Amino acid sequence: IVHQLETEKPVVDLRVFKNVSYSAGTGINFLLGTALFSGSYLFSLYCGAVMHYTALDTGLIFLTAGTIQIALMPLIGKFGNRFDGRYLLVFGILGASLSLWMNGHLTSQASFWDLARPQMVRSVGLSFIFIPLSVIALSDLAPDQRGNATGLFNLTRELGGSIGTAWMGMSLDNSSKLFASRLGESVSAYSPTTQEQLALLQRGVTARLPDPQGSAVTILGLRVQVQAMIKAFNQGFVTVAVMFAAGVFLVLLLKRPQPGVKIEGAH
């Protein structure tokens, strides 16, 4: 880093971060990568681990929601310059954050459309982010800086995605154990609710299993594990939603792009 800052013609020109608008846009892009990849990662795991969806079923949800983005992106690319891109960004960030918050309130009884609806909201939100963010972040730079700046800009989204996915994977594991421990403390042999649940489970498996009492205890333990997992997923979604919503404050540092500015290569 020191060498790239000192040399006259650096391979990677880090001086572009002196531009406040570019730095703010790159920060939003980092948060976008974190929310986009970690949100998709959590949702895919939720569908598989909690809902017991196949990979094809999960992919169908993404496909259903993605059609909205396919339809909106060209329209925003064509007509988006008629509006202040910063307003589009605020709408998109809040929309994507709302979708993650909706994911954070799912249960194991969710239907296909309960799962698809948040993804559809996210597709709408993301459609209002990609193009305006690229244009605003890069348009305030000199033309000879944009090639290098575009590479760094795209890199930050991938970096945010990598960090976000690893972070959510670790957080999900730790939170599941924590919630399982907390829920397990309330499942006491002396609790009337626990005794009632065990009795119901025992009657349900008496005719099918040789050890109804032991089987009932095992099933109840599995239910506790599933509820702990759901709470961990919900916490992860809400955490990412709050983090991404904070990107609205970075929009305040962005400059409105000059009319007619076209940015190539920023995707």
Side-chain angles (χ1 to χ4, degrees):
I1 292 175
V2 172
H3 176 70
Q4 295 300 303
L5 289 174
E6 290 180 342
T7 187
E8 184 178 349
K9 295 182 179 180
V11 176
V12 180
D13 188 4
L14 300 176
R15 298 182 185 91
V16 291
F17 287 107
K18 291 181 179 180
N19 186 291
V20 176
S21 186
Y22 175 77
S23 294
T26 304
I28 295 173
N29 204 37
F30 178 87
L31 293 177
L32 172 62
T34 303
L36 178 62
F37 287 92
S38 62
S40 298
Y41 171 74
L42 285 175
F43 184 75
S44 298
L45 283 181
Y46 187 91
C47 288
V50 176
M51 303 303 299
H52 303 294
Y53 276 30
T54 65
L56 183 61
D57 293 332
T58 304
L60 183 60
I61 295 176
F62 281 108
L63 180 63
T64 302
T67 54
I68 297 176
Q69 196 168 331
I70 292 174
L72 277 179
M73 289 280 283
L75 295 176
I76 295 174
K78 186 174 183 179
F79 302 108
N81 57 0
R82 299 183 182 182
F83 308 93
D84 188 333
R86 293 171 295 183
Y87 293 123
L88 299 181
L89 277 178
V90 170
F91 178 82
I93 291 172
L94 293 180
S97 300
L98 173 63
S99 74
L100 290 164
W101 183 85
M102 293 169 66
N103 279 142
H105 293 78
L106 292 173
T107 70
S108 59
Q109 305 302 316
S111 66
F112 176 88
W113 289 108
D114 290 332
L115 295 170
R117 198 173 296 114
Q119 304 309 305
M120 295 169 74
V121 172
R122 189 175 73 163
S123 288
V124 173
L126 292 177
S127 298
F128 283 84
I129 295 176
F130 286 116
I131 296 176
L133 179 59
S134 300
V135 172
I136 293 174
L138 299 169
S139 63
D140 196 45
L141 297 173
D144 62 335
Q145 292 181 306
R146 288 176 188 164
N148 169 81
T150 298
L152 286 172
F153 182 78
N154 292 332
L155 173 65
T156 55
R157 184 183 303 164
E158 303 301 323
L159 185 62
S162 299
I163 293 176
T165 302
W167 170 39
M168 280 297 108
M170 179 181 66
S171 176
L172 183 64
D173 182 57
N174 293 337
S175 297
S176 296
K177 295 176 182 177
L178 177 62
F179 285 123
S181 176
R182 290 179 178 176
L183 291 175
E185 292 174 357
S186 62
V187 181
S188 169
Y190 303 101
S191 168
T193 302
T194 301
Q195 293 176 2
E196 179 184 353
Q197 290 297 314
L198 286 173
L200 289 172
L201 290 171
Q202 188 172 341
R203 284 198 296 268
V205 299
T206 296
R208 292 176 292 171
L209 298 174
D211 182 13
Q213 184 175 3
S215 299
V217 172
T218 300
I219 294 173
L220 185 61
L222 290 174
R223 287 185 176 181
V224 170
Q225 292 294 330
V226 170
Q227 290 304 312
M229 191 186 307
I230 292 174
K231 291 177 71 69
F233 274 112
N234 290 346
Q235 178 180 274
F237 281 122
V238 172
T239 299
V240 177
V242 172
M243 179 203 65
F244 191 45
V248 169
F249 294 103
L250 292 176
V251 177
L252 300 175
L253 303 177
L254 297 175
K255 294 182 181 179
R256 184 172 184 174
Q258 300 177 359
V261 173
K262 295 184 179 180
I263 305 299
E264 302 292 340
H267 302 290

